[in-house]
Amino acid sequence: MGKHTIVNLNGEKIKDIKLNEDIFGIEPNKKVLYDAIILARASLRQGTHSTKTRAEVSGGGRKPWRQKGTGHARQGSIRAVQWRGGGIAFGPTPRDYSKKMNRKERRLALLSALSIKTADMVIVDELKVATPKTKDMVTLLKGLKLDNIKTLIVVDELDENVILASRNLQKIALIEAGEVNVLDLIAADKILITEKAINKIEEVLS
């Protein structure tokens, strides 16, 4: 893999950095990456949805009218599924949506996501804002040509001003290097990451 440019907060080049090819330059395994995304999205589902069958709804203890001679269709209960207030046929019930993936597959999926997103990375020497105001973060992003772009910001450690300045921006997500995950990486159009965060990721995944 070639060198990657490190810029300051004004978008000016400072130096070049060589990324670890075993982390940021592997051939992505799309099958494992797809499975990891499905697993991550499934884990966000609570699975608390619930409906009642005709055996669980209240009422309907007796036959509403006799079997024959009324001109009506035969009915056994006013809580059958075709009645208003009746049970639900084949409705959702509480369930666990979580899936399993072994450790090697999880690591491969993360490396695949990092390798795919390397071209979309903007590496800065540091990430700081003077005040916790949103407009300061907007100005910073404009300087890096990341305004109005869905961006994942990755830092080595969270700074309170950065947290407060970015939390009201709809297209911005902020995480620490140790929390980097497949779903956030793939969901972002650009990755704004600090040099120290790169070093931390390489240290953990090497």
Side-chain angles (χ1 to χ4, degrees), residues 43-71:
S43 68
L44 299 175
R45 302 185 67 174
Q46 291 183 333
T48 54
H49 43 49
S50 182
T51 56
K52 291 183 178 181
T53 66
R54 61 181 293 176
E56 296 168 321
V57 293
S58 299
R62 66 181 177 84
K63 192 173 175 69
W65 52 74
R66 68 179 190 268
Q67 182 82 346
K68 295 178 180 293
T70 64

Side-chain angles (χ1 to χ4, degrees), residues 20-26 111 114-115 201-203 205-206:
N20 189 331
E21 291 187 6
D22 295 331
I23 297 173
F24 295 96
I26 71 166
L111 296 179
L114 287 169
S115 297
I201 290 172
E202 290 184 341
E203 182 182 342
L205 294 178
S206 294

